[in-house]
Amino acid sequence: MMMNNIFKRESCVIARLFLCSFSMACATAHADINFSMQAEAEAQNTPEGWAAVELPKNLPAITAANTFNITDYGAATTSTDNTAAIQAALDAAHQAGGGMVIVPAGEWLFGRITIGSHTVLHLCAGATLKLLAYANQPDHTTKTPYITDKKGATDIVIEGESAETSIIEGQGGPWWDAVEAKESGLQRGSLIRFYQGERHLFRHFRLQNAPGTNLTLGQSGKGGHNTVHDVSIYAPASTASDPSHNTDGIPVWAPYANIYDCLIDTGDDNVVTDSYAQYIHVWHCQFKAGHGASLGSYTVDMHHIIYEDLSFDGTTAGFRLKSNTDRSGDVHAIIFRNCTMHNVATPIQITAWYDKVPDSPTAAAAAPESVTSTTPRYHDILIQNVSVSGYDTKNSNDKNYNGIMIYGRPESYVHDVTFDNVQISHRNGVRLFFCKDIKFINGCSFTKTRTNQSVSATDADLSAVMENAYEAAYTWNGSTSSLTPAMGTPQPAATRYYNLQGHSHSTKPHTRGIYIHNGKKIIVK
């Protein structure tokens, strides 16, 4: 499935040569450009059985006649607002049936702009599109993205010459301060968001200090077939002394996306798939600060997602699936593989309780909710060839920081999750609640560094590293374990009694003690 390294290096060389052809355009404004999509097609890396992500098509040949430099429309580095000039250049490209808009080297202040079909927005080396300062924004209550597509626009490219030299700057600091101050009516648009059109490409630039999310793909299942590569994203971590807030790197809300060779260091999810994300392939990326490779919290109609060949260094989470009963559904065919994690607080977390897990699984079991179309149903998840090490930090609430956490619901168990050759070393151990058919195979191992306890393929089960478990069944390297109470669909709350250790009784117990029954505390004397 994965291309070999030699092929990948050759593709990168082609891409660099291709980008060099833009140097004349940046220098002379109207030079002919050899625009090609060949390198993109060669690097697609489509998983077996999936349809390929469609790349932009029917782009015009780039000539002097359809190359538009923003300076020809009045943009100047001395201007306090170049929005009108940049928009005029984009509109000229749209009216010409497509073309290239060039942002030369320099710093260009701008507000909200829209891009039409068959347009290439090219940032030269040394070019910075800089969002108007918070104080100079017309209002703070409009969530419209700053760079977006005209309604229904298709086949758009936004590109730079490298992720180090072509920059879109969001000046987000005052926006994050406004979040902390709970400013009334505050809305923060994404730096880039394309809503409905298809076949969009984003490459070779840097997004930094976004007011909110950075590069959002699609909306409610519309706007599919997106490709993102060689994009760097930066905002201060959520744990920093001056943090950013909700600065997701790449949220995906539509089907068919390739995301690769990106470096994301931000204050929220690095890459996150949300409702209607299907056939999403993310590979060969570096994640630093952020909340990891995420799914959710909105997980309606989400399936066929692969995260692979990723490195995590200092993220708060690694692989994280999260949702709740008002925003989910059938989530399946999820793969997370060939990844390394270092100093990650929560390497593997699958929870159907967003944003706070129950204080007591016994209380949750005593009051299951009715199953609806939006009940989380997680199944058929593969976590393969993953190595985790380096996290040994004591937190005020250690139960939320575990090597593995799976927390289903009493009315909807997480099931059929396979850990294949997963090696974890973490301060804290394993927590399993409301789950079944959890399989650990092919030499999985786990070391709980807080207590210097380990389990390996030769051990019978996870008991040495188990922090807590409730209604969970798993197979550990060939040995089956079932953690009471009994598995299966919970009995109605009116007929179950739970003691404080989590064991259940189908009828009122005769042994003295405190029990939970129908969501209430019962004392048996």
Side-chain angles (χ1 to χ4, degrees):
M1 184 184 299
M2 293 291 294
M3 70 178 72
N4 61 49
N5 290 335
I6 294 174
F7 180 77
K8 190 167 188 177
R9 285 196 295 270
E10 289 175 346
S11 296
C12 290
V13 169
I14 293 171
R16 291 191 191 101
L17 291 173
F18 163 65
L19 285 171
C20 288
S21 68
F22 289 102
S23 59
M24 284 199 304
C26 290
T28 65
H30 291 302
D32 290 342
I33 296 172
N34 180 25
F35 189 87
S36 170
M37 300 297 293
Q38 179 181 352
E40 307 301 330
E42 292 174 345
Q44 277 196 301
N45 192 16
T46 304
E48 184 178 354
W50 292 18
V53 174
E54 296 178 11
L55 291 163
K57 62 183 182 181
N58 299 324
L59 294 170
I62 304 302
T63 66
N66 62 11
T67 300
F68 307 91
N69 193 305
I70 63 172
T71 58
D72 293 337
Y73 295 85
T77 56
T78 56
S79 174
T80 58
D81 187 352
N82 291 291
T83 305
I86 297 171
Q87 189 61 61
L90 290 167
D91 290 345
H94 180 60
Q95 292 161 10
M100 175 173 287
V101 173
I102 293 176
V103 181
E107 185 175 278
W108 312 89
L109 287 163
F110 80 107
R112 290 182 167 89
I113 56 176
T114 59
I115 305 177
S117 295
H118 307 108
T119 300
V120 179
L121 176 61
H122 182 83
L123 280 69
C124 296
T128 297
L129 279 176
K130 189 172 185 179
L131 199 62
L132 293 173
Y134 175 85
N136 296 330
Q137 293 280 346
D139 66 75
H140 301 147
T141 60
T142 301
K143 203 172 183 178
T144 303
Y146 290 97
I147 302 176
T148 191
D149 52 335
K150 291 183 181 292
K151 187 174 181 180
T154 65
D155 307 294
I156 296 172
V157 179
I158 297 180
E159 65 180 7
E161 296 189 11
S162 79
E164 290 74 38
T165 64
S166 302
I167 299 169
I168 301 175
E169 164 66 52
Q171 300 208 76
W175 292 91
W176 311 328
D177 292 341
V179 172
E180 293 180 2
K182 299 181 179 179
E183 180 180 311
S184 177
L186 183 70
Q187 296 286 344
R188 296 171 292 152
S190 182
L191 267 183
I192 302 174
R193 183 170 194 172
F194 285 6
Y195 284 110
Q196 297 183 13
E198 297 185 332
R199 298 181 300 278
H200 303 313
L201 170 63
F202 310 88
R203 62 184 176 187
H204 299 291
F205 60 87
R206 175 182 173 100
L207 294 170
Q208 61 189 33
N209 301 316
T213 58
N214 282 271
L215 173 55
T216 303
L217 307 177
Q219 182 185 41
S220 301
K222 299 177 181 178
H225 293 279
N226 290 282
T227 299
V228 183
H229 72 86
D230 293 281
V231 171
S232 291
I233 295 174
Y234 171 78
S238 57
T239 55
S241 58
D242 187 13
S244 64
H245 294 276
N246 303 107
T247 51
D248 291 336
I250 306 177
V252 183
W253 293 82
Y256 295 102
N258 283 335
I259 300 169
Y260 60 97
D261 291 343
C262 294
L263 189 156
I264 304 175
D265 185 356
T266 191
D268 210 304
D269 296 327
N270 298 76
V271 174
V272 54
T273 56
D274 283 284
S275 291
Y276 310 106
Q278 304 163 8
Y279 303 100
I280 310 301
H281 193 189
V282 183
W283 76 93
H284 201 253
C285 294
Q286 291 179 275
F287 294 166
K288 294 190 175 181
H291 298 174
S294 293
L295 299 91
S297 67
Y298 292 91
T299 57
V300 174
D301 203 11
M302 176 186 289
H303 55 83
H304 289 88
I305 296 168
I306 299 177
Y307 284 103
E308 64 183 334
D309 193 20
L310 310 177
S311 66
F312 300 74
D313 188 357
T315 54
T316 58
F319 173 74
R320 185 183 182 203
L321 169 55
K322 58 194 189 290
S323 198
N324 214 327
T325 55
D326 63 339
R327 61 186 66 189
S328 190
D330 191 21
V331 179
H332 66 279
I334 310 299
I335 297 175
F336 179 78
R337 67 185 172 201
N338 302 332
C339 297
T340 60
M341 301 187 205
H342 178 72
N343 194 28
V344 173
T346 309
I348 309 292
Q349 185 182 73
I350 299 172
T351 175
W353 301 84
Y354 185 78
D355 184 36
K356 186 178 185 302
V357 299
D359 292 330
S360 165
T362 59
E369 297 184 16
S370 298
V371 175
T372 71
S373 62
T374 58
T375 298
R377 297 186 299 281
Y378 303 157
H379 61 97
D380 293 289
I381 298 168
L382 172 64
I383 300 168
Q384 183 180 54
N385 301 332
V386 175
S387 175
V388 177
S389 63
Y391 187 82
D392 199 28
T393 302
K394 183 178 181 179
N395 287 276
S396 58
N397 191 357
D398 257 1
K399 72 178 184 179
N400 289 331
Y401 299 88
N402 299 276
I404 298 173
M405 160 82 91
I406 300 178
Y407 210 134
R409 302 187 70 93
E411 68 275 10
S412 182
Y413 282 29
V414 175
H415 65 92
D416 291 288
V417 179
T418 300
F419 292 80
D420 180 355
N421 186 33
V422 175
Q423 318 295 324
I424 297 178
S425 175
H426 193 273
R427 169 180 168 78
N428 300 319
V430 178
R431 294 177 187 267
L432 302 176
F433 308 99
F434 305 116
C435 57
K436 60 183 179 179
D437 298 319
I438 312 301
K439 306 174 188 70
F440 296 86
I441 64 174
N442 291 335
C444 290
S445 68
F446 196 111
T447 299
K448 184 166 69 172
T449 59
R450 187 182 83 244
T451 57
N452 195 29
Q453 292 174 289
S454 298
V455 294
S456 63
T458 58
D459 293 295
D461 56 35
L462 282 163
S463 58
V465 297
M466 189 71 72
E467 300 285 354
N468 197 4
Y470 188 89
E471 295 200 11
Y474 65 90
T475 300
W476 174 257
N477 289 312
S479 299
T480 300
S481 296
S482 182
L483 304 171
T484 57
M487 294 298 301
T489 303
Q491 295 169 269
T495 63
R496 299 186 80 179
Y497 293 77
Y498 299 85
N499 66 17
L500 297 185
Q501 287 72 49
H503 298 107
S504 68
H505 301 262
S506 59
T507 59
K508 186 174 181 179
H510 300 291
T511 306
R512 292 195 308 174
I514 299 174
Y515 299 86
I516 303 295
H517 175 64
N518 201 22
K520 298 179 181 180
K521 184 167 67 175
I522 303 295
I523 299 175
V524 177
K525 298 181 179 179

